[in-house]
């Protein structure tokens, strides 16, 4: 069938089928399904990959944010600064800590927050900043930390990226990842992890993910039942050694688009200074985004406007979003469109997408 899919989550796994089958059978035969040797091994391997001292596997990337913030000491009465141009979960995870989300704007070229956008909403109640490495780009975590406030990296979309100061996962006080199946490193179900080099934060996160208990006998606080399971950990262990090559494939796909002249038609995402993004989504921007979308869909080319309504204008956020003005967020929300991206996207496919974008824009002229 002609056309180009928005994602390709299966082609990169094809050569790993035997290893994946062996991993699943190994867990099945072990009889250990929760918090066993696979999770422990994956936590060590993932921490080493990121360059952090600890990793704590949890049930998904949303729980990871709530648990990490609580482990960092965020609670009732605190404010947590977060972008509005992100997946809803980056913000949804804050109120369960008791803290209030405070929205900040983004740099429209990188789609990430900056020290300036954070400074604009900083207050004496600010307890933490959630820096989202959106679309696989790398937010300037070290510069934001210089404002004197701890940073939690939301790296759900950025596994495999690298910034000038190291990898996401080792840049802030703690970081969170999602292993949702379509992510750069995807499980065969839900999964998430928290990384940190702060031993106290790691210990607090380990307790919180397990009902607020060390031993399931005494319970020190209200926690969660939120663990990465053995099966998902075993599957992720097979994939982790390939993450860098897949991220390189995503950057190659981005280069195909550039070489095919896409930058002359629409605005391309700009890597943040000194970074190698792991393009989870490849986000173009155009004032004609909706017309481009209709044409690509008609040509069988996958595309999607992910965040047309930014989080601060979602119904559930009314309490915290009313009166908030974020001009760059609104611009990005109106103009962005994700086009096909995967580690295996070929030059001919990029040419097909670019031709379809050119055709769509010619029709609007
Ligand atoms: C930026 C961002 N944060 C948080 C999440 C939440 O992760 P999960 O779906 O694993 O809960 C996602 C993805 O779904 C995401 O893209």
């Amino acid at each position: 069938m002609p056309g180009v899919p928005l994602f390709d989550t299966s082609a990169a796994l094809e050569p790993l089928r035997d290893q994946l089958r062996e991993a699943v059978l190994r867990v099945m035969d072990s009889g250990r399904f929760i918090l066993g040797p696979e999770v422990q091994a994956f936590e060590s391997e993932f921490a080493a990959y990121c360059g952090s001292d600890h990793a704590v596997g949890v049930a998904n990337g949303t729980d990871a944010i709530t648990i990490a913030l609580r482990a960092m000491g965020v609670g009732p009465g605190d404010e947590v600064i977060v972008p509005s141009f992100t997946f809803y979960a980056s913000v949804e995870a804050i109120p369960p800590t008791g803290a209030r989300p405070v929205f900040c704007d983004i740099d429209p070229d990188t789609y990430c927050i900056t020290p300036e956008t954070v400074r604009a909403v900083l207050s004496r109640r600010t307890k933490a900043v959630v820096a989202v490495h959106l679309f696989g780009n790398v937010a300037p975590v070290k510069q934001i930390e210089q404002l004197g406030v701890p940073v939690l990296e939301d790296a759900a979309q950025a596994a495999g990226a690298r910034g000038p100061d190291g990898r996401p996962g080792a840049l802030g006080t703690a970081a969170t990842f999602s292993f949702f199946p379509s992510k750069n490193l995807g499980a065969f179900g839900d999964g998430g992890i928290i990384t940190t080099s702060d031993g106290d934060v790691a210990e607090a996160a380990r307790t919180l993910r397990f009902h607020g208990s060390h031993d399931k006998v005494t319970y020190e606080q209200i926690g969660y039942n939120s663990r990465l399971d053995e099966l998902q950990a075993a599957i992720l262990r097979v994939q982790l050694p390939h993450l860098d090559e897949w991220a390189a494939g995503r950057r190659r796909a981005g280069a195909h688009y550039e070489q095919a002249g896409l930058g002359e038609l629409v605005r391309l995402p700009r890597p943040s200074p000194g970074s190698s993004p792991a393009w989870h989504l490849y986000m173009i921007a155009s004032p004609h985004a909706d017309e481009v979308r209709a044409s690509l869909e008609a040509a069988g080319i996958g595309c999607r406007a992910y965040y047309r309504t930014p989080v601060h204008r979602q119904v559930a956020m009314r309490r915290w979003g009313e009166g908030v003005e974020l001009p760059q967020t609104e611009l990005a929300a109106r103009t962005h469109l994700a086009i096909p991206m995967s580690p295996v996207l070929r030059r001919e496919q990029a040419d097909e997408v670019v031709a379809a974008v050119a055709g769509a824009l010619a029709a609007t002229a």
Side-chain angles (χ1 to χ4, degrees):
M1 178 184 126
V4 186
L6 184 56
F7 296 118
D8 186 340
T9 47
S10 55
L13 295 185
E14 197 56 41
L16 304 178
R17 280 180 79 89
D18 289 345
Q19 273 177 277
L20 288 164
R21 193 177 290 117
E22 193 276 324
V24 170
L25 290 175
R26 186 172 72 233
V27 173
M28 196 176 92
D29 292 341
S30 77
R32 289 286 302 271
F33 300 110
I34 303 288
L35 294 184
E38 299 288 345
V39 169
Q40 212 166 35
F42 178 66
E43 287 177 341
S44 301
E45 289 157 11
F46 194 74
Y49 173 83
C50 294
S52 68
D53 290 346
H54 312 277
V56 181
V58 294
N60 55 66
T62 310
D63 283 3
I65 297 171
T66 306
I67 292 173
L69 287 173
R70 282 189 62 190
M72 287 166 63
V74 171
D78 294 330
E79 292 182 354
V80 175
I81 296 174
V82 64
S84 169
F85 192 71
T86 179
F87 178 54
Y88 178 71
S90 304
V91 188
E92 181 193 29
I94 297 170
T97 68
R100 163 191 181 83
V102 173
F103 295 101
C104 73
D105 216 345
I106 51 160
D107 172 341
D109 291 330
T110 64
Y111 297 108
C112 291
I113 63 172
T114 69
E116 292 71 37
T117 66
V118 171
R119 191 184 291 117
V121 292
L122 207 57
S123 87
R124 52 186 179 73
R125 285 182 299 280
T126 307
K127 185 77 173 201
V129 175
V130 175
V132 183
H133 298 303
L134 200 66
F135 307 143
N137 214 347
V138 185
V141 173
K142 294 289 176 204
Q143 287 102 300
I144 294 167
E145 277 182 333
Q146 281 167 15
L147 298 171
V149 59
V151 174
L152 173 66
E153 304 169 62
D154 177 351
Q157 301 186 3
R162 187 185 278 281
D165 303 307
R167 288 188 184 285
L171 305 176
T173 299
T176 59
F177 292 82
S178 162
F179 301 126
F180 185 81
S182 63
K183 293 290 193 271
N184 294 357
L185 182 63
F188 292 177
D190 276 314
I193 207 163
I194 299 162
T195 58
T196 181
S197 289
D198 182 321
D200 293 337
V201 171
E203 183 51 30
R206 269 182 213 291
T207 309
L208 283 168
R209 78 170 167 185
F210 190 72
H211 304 287
S213 175
H214 287 283
D215 51 13
K216 225 176 177 181
V217 175
T218 53
Y219 299 87
E220 296 144 31
Q221 47 189 326
I222 302 297
Y224 307 87
N225 175 8
S226 182
R227 284 102 43 147
L228 181 67
D229 65 62
E230 286 285 287
L231 206 50
Q232 301 305 342
I235 287 163
L236 291 165
R237 291 184 70 199
V238 174
Q239 297 184 52
L240 182 60
H242 301 276
L243 181 56
D244 278 345
E245 120 210 2
W246 293 340
R250 291 173 180 278
R251 285 190 291 277
R252 228 172 9 254
H256 291 331
Y257 282 131
E258 286 181 40
Q259 285 151 15
L262 186 59
E264 287 142 42
L265 302 169
V266 293
R267 217 177 62 218
L268 303 184
R270 183 164 52 79
S272 48
S275 74
S276 299
W279 299 127
H280 170 57
L281 297 171
Y282 197 77
M283 210 51 76
I284 60 172
S286 164
H288 304 290
D290 286 333
E291 292 94 321
V292 172
R293 176 168 63 168
S295 291
L296 294 193
E297 279 170 357
I301 293 172
C303 61
R304 191 165 154 196
Y306 275 81
Y307 312 133
R308 272 287 179 268
T309 305
V311 181
H312 74 283
R313 287 201 282 107
Q314 296 289 346
V315 174
M317 292 290 151
R318 205 172 283 147
R319 194 161 11 141
W320 304 290
E322 216 147 57
V324 168
E325 283 181 24
L326 303 169
Q328 302 304 334
T329 294
E330 298 292 352
L331 177 70
R334 273 197 309 276
T335 57
H336 76 286
L337 186 70
I339 58 171
M341 170 51 65
S342 81
V344 294
L345 186 104
R346 298 187 310 279
R347 174 63 200 255
E348 314 83 80
Q349 292 177 304
D351 287 342
E352 189 179 332
V353 175
V354 174
V357 173
L361 291 173
T364 66

